[in-house]
Amino acid sequence: TSGNVKNIQIPRQVLLATSEAANKYLGARPGDIWSLLLPTNHIAGINVLTRAYLLGTEVVSVKDSANYSAIVPTQLFNALNGDNELLTHLKNCQKVLVGGAKLSEALLKQGQKAGIKIVTSYGATETCGGCVFDGAPLEGVEIQINSGLVEVRIAGLNSGNWISLKDIGEIKDGKLIVHGRADDVFISGGENLSLNLIEDFLQKTFPSQKIYPISIPDSKWGEALAIISDQEFPSTLDQDISEQLGKLYIPKYRKIVAQIPLIGIGKLDRKSLSELFLINE
């Protein structure tokens, strides 16, 4: 989300194998229906098409009934905050995969409380999309922690070598727990600040508002904490942050925009966001 664009090659046999494993994990049977709510220029959308193909069915839209679907956290947020058509569709599914970007615990619980049967999905384009469901690797997938970082290995992919996803994690009781990006800590005025920590706090404290943190270059602080939202910031924001995280986490810059810059299927476009601040501050 902040680096250079790179091409990833996914062998057909790997795509078919991981899609079959996903269907098996979810309990999908021939004739079951997937809804396609993700773009097909991303691996997540291609996976939905492949899963449907293996079940011998065609995908449907949000306007139709489906047994299974796959969305990103942004879509889940929208469903819980006004998109009633999407909410109804998701509630009628047997299982809904949510992945592609970080899913906060607060948003997960909101979705579950609303009646959506969520299965968390973790992976990357390099791993043929989501390959760890609810913390458990799919059939044919191996996970390990190497120097604190999550690594994945899938037969037929990356010459059979381990793929580092640059996420900090641990395996507890056989389940993968991802704590955040390895590069989410930055130094501001000599102090270490964690974007993961402040993002978790913002999502938990203000679950009905999109507020995202980012670090930007700053002549005084070296790197400074900035936040962005598509709504007015809560009046208690600074006080809440100070009381829970300390004054160091009060953002130096903030910006309200008409639309949050995202990449493809709901990941925050941190590079574009940084440019917004650099151009206008």
Side-chain angles (χ1 to χ4, degrees), residues 202-234:
L202 292 171
Q203 293 180 347
K204 181 178 180 180
T205 309
F206 309 105
S208 296
Q209 182 169 357
K210 298 176 184 178
I211 308 177
Y212 297 106
I214 192 171
S215 65
I216 61 174
D218 185 82
S219 57
K220 179 179 179 180
W221 302 98
E223 293 282 323
L225 178 63
I227 56 173
I228 190 170
S229 180
D230 56 3
Q231 303 174 41
E232 291 287 339
F233 292 103

Side-chain angles (χ1 to χ4, degrees), residues 18-47:
T18 55
S19 292
E20 183 175 0
N23 278 337
K24 182 178 179 179
Y25 181 95
L26 296 172
R29 300 179 179 180
D32 283 346
I33 304 294
W34 276 87
S35 63
L36 179 62
L37 308 183
L38 298 169
T40 54
N41 60 337
H42 287 266
I43 188 63
I46 295 173
N47 278 333

